[in-house]
Amino acid sequence: MSIASRRLQNALRGFARGGAQTWSPELTSRQRGDSDALQEAIDALRGTGKGRYYNADMFAQEYDGAVLPEADDPVWVEMRGGDPVAAVSSGVLTIADDAAAEFLYYGAEPELDNDAGTWLEARVKVADATGLAANRGSALAIHDGTYQFTVWLRSDGFNIDAESDVSLDFTEWRRVRFVAQGKGCQLFVDGSLRQAGSYVNESAKQLVTFGSWADAYQQYQHRPGGSLSIEGGITVTGP
Amino acid sequence: MAFIMHDEGEEFVLQVAFSEEQSVPANFYVGLCNDTLVKADGLADIVDEVSGTGYARQTVASDNTDCVVTADGDYYKVTFAKQTFTAGGTWTEANTAFLATTVDNAGKLIASYPIAPVRTLGNADTVDVEVYVRHKHEA
């Protein structure tokens, strides 16, 4: 087991002892590793520090907040402990787990390739969080079949696992782009490169996750951009 | 499936409201189809529109009678007049309703709405369809 892995496990144990935590994310997507477009995007990110090639069609799986993730198509597998509460309303997924031993997060198992890289994107607002320190908070994680990468999000900051805390007000909506390739990863917030880091552990899984590990209240909302979203509805009456 | 505001629908609304590259049509149209649409799809991508005796896209006048804009809490929405489809024979299956700018496929696909459960109308069956589009602003 690597040092980074032990650190993650220590952090998870810390959550189980924590108190109430609140946060709210938005769009969660991930990009498969076999696309030339992805390679171009990651190359551009590394070269410029900005994601110039955002293209929703490149994402292999998205969550749009229309239904609970476990009811989405393709499905996001629910992983929970205790009795956390999840609900969707107006395109927003809200997760509340306010007991010490609870957690609730969602995972998808797309085809990932460490050489090509993986791109995980979420729009996140963290209203409150327990344990405001590095390597704590709610998490986005990538397992690309070779390594695991994790970023921690808190109401007052964030960090790539094992990196130092970066102060940032996450009580406002933030667009988080987590890109991993090889042994390295980069975190962009609202289009700016904010931190670079390394893998947590070796991992044969091909998995991306979002959600809380313990003591969290969170929301996910699909909103491609701006502060105006469009919704629609239908009433059908008949045989 | 979920509600989709299609790309060309978004573009159309903005071009009508701001750039005047498009004009408001005399009518909008509500239709039924059995397609799995994605956001980038346009009217021409509807390849399995319902067919059968008596089927036609229903007309919604572009006025404040058939297109009613109201405040809905923190939102504003436009609700389109309820449309009744009446089958004159057995129709093909419908899993989606859609809102378009033309009665043919020359116009724009504004939005589509899942129908659940899917409907297969038989002779003399009717189905009422009422759709809306709502803007939601978050500070």
Side-chain angles (χ1 to χ4, degrees):
Chain A
M1 182 183 295
S2 70
I3 293 173
S5 175
R6 285 197 296 273
R7 182 174 304 188
L8 174 62
Q9 292 192 353
N10 288 339
L12 294 175
R13 283 196 291 272
F15 296 152
R17 294 193 298 269
Q21 182 182 70
T22 304
W23 65 296
S24 325
E26 180 211 21
L27 166 69
T28 298
S29 306
R30 150 222 70 71
Q31 204 162 4
R32 66 186 299 148
D34 58 357
S35 97
D36 292 339
L38 170 62
Q39 189 64 64
E40 291 178 4
I42 291 177
D43 288 346
L45 284 166
R46 294 189 169 219
T48 67
K50 294 183 178 179
R52 295 184 302 162
Y53 288 88
Y54 179 86
N55 180 346
D57 292 339
M58 297 191 302
F59 290 100
Q61 186 161 339
E62 295 192 31
Y63 175 66
D64 65 6
V67 296
L68 288 169
E70 66 269 30
D72 204 2
D73 183 16
V75 68
W76 292 80
V77 177
E78 179 188 78
M79 289 161 272
R80 69 161 62 215
D83 192 25
V85 176
V88 290
S89 177
S90 300
V92 177
L93 166 67
T94 300
I95 301 172
D97 70 85
D98 53 7
E102 291 182 343
F103 64 89
L104 177 55
Y105 60 97
Y106 298 94
E109 297 180 317
E111 181 182 343
L112 301 179
D113 183 338
N114 176 264
D115 289 334
T118 301
W119 174 317
L120 176 64
E121 185 154 320
R123 193 160 186 266
V124 181
K125 183 166 68 173
V126 184
D128 182 43
T130 296
L132 300 178
N135 303 315
R136 293 187 178 189
S138 297
L140 302 172
I142 296 170
H143 302 249
D144 65 8
T146 304
Y147 296 116
Q148 174 191 347
F149 304 86
T150 300
V151 60
W152 302 101
L153 308 174
R154 298 171 293 278
S155 59
D156 67 346
F158 63 88
N159 70 284
I160 292 173
D161 189 82
E163 299 298 327
S164 59
D165 174 56
V166 177
S167 295
L168 184 67
D169 181 5
F170 254 92
T171 62
E172 301 290 333
W173 286 105
R174 303 289 185 182
R175 184 173 296 281
V176 176
R177 180 176 296 156
F178 191 33
V179 179
Q181 187 181 37
K183 294 183 178 180
C185 59
Q186 293 179 316
L187 181 69
F188 299 80
V189 181
D190 296 335
S192 297
L193 176 62
R194 298 300 302 267
Q195 193 169 54
S198 186
Y199 66 98
V200 175
N201 196 10
E202 294 181 356
S203 175
K205 297 178 183 177
Q206 295 183 42
L207 172 72
V208 293
T209 68
F210 67 97
S212 71
W213 299 92
D215 302 345
Y217 169 81
Q218 54 196 314
Q219 293 179 313
Y220 287 79
Q221 183 176 30
H222 179 79
R223 195 195 320 282
S227 60
L228 186 66
S229 61
I230 300 173
E231 304 167 335
I234 182 170
T235 301
V236 179
T237 306
Chain B
M1 290 191 301
F3 164 79
I4 299 173
M5 186 76 176
H6 291 277
D7 287 347
E8 64 181 28
E10 291 180 355
E11 181 184 39
F12 174 81
V13 170
L14 295 174
Q15 288 180 335
V16 168
F18 298 106
S19 69
E20 298 188 4
E21 294 170 87
Q22 300 279 346
S23 57
V24 181
N27 299 300
F28 295 102
Y29 297 87
V30 175
L32 304 175
C33 67
N34 199 43
D35 291 288
T36 300
L37 299 172
V38 298
K39 189 170 182 298
D41 283 343
L43 263 183
D45 294 304
I46 294 177
V47 296
D48 195 9
E49 188 165 0
V50 165
S51 61
T53 302
Y55 171 78
R57 294 181 193 178
Q58 300 297 294
T59 302
V60 180
S62 59
D63 57 30
N64 61 4
T65 300
D66 278 7
C67 304
V68 179
V69 176
T70 56
D72 180 13
D74 292 334
Y75 315 137
Y76 275 89
K77 74 178 192 180
V78 55
T79 302
F80 299 90
K82 182 187 296 182
Q83 300 300 311
T84 299
F85 292 85
T86 302
T90 300
W91 286 5
T92 56
E93 190 172 80
N95 66 3
T96 299
F98 60 92
L99 181 67
T101 62
T102 56
V103 73
D104 58 22
N105 285 346
K108 307 290 186 184
L109 175 61
I110 296 176
S112 62
Y113 307 78
I115 295 176
V118 298
R119 301 297 208 280
T120 304
L121 270 62
N123 186 29
D125 284 345
T126 63
V127 62
D128 292 333
V129 177
E130 182 180 82
V131 298
Y132 69 84
V133 174
R134 177 168 60 184
H135 280 182
K136 176 188 173 186
H137 177 265
E138 181 165 320

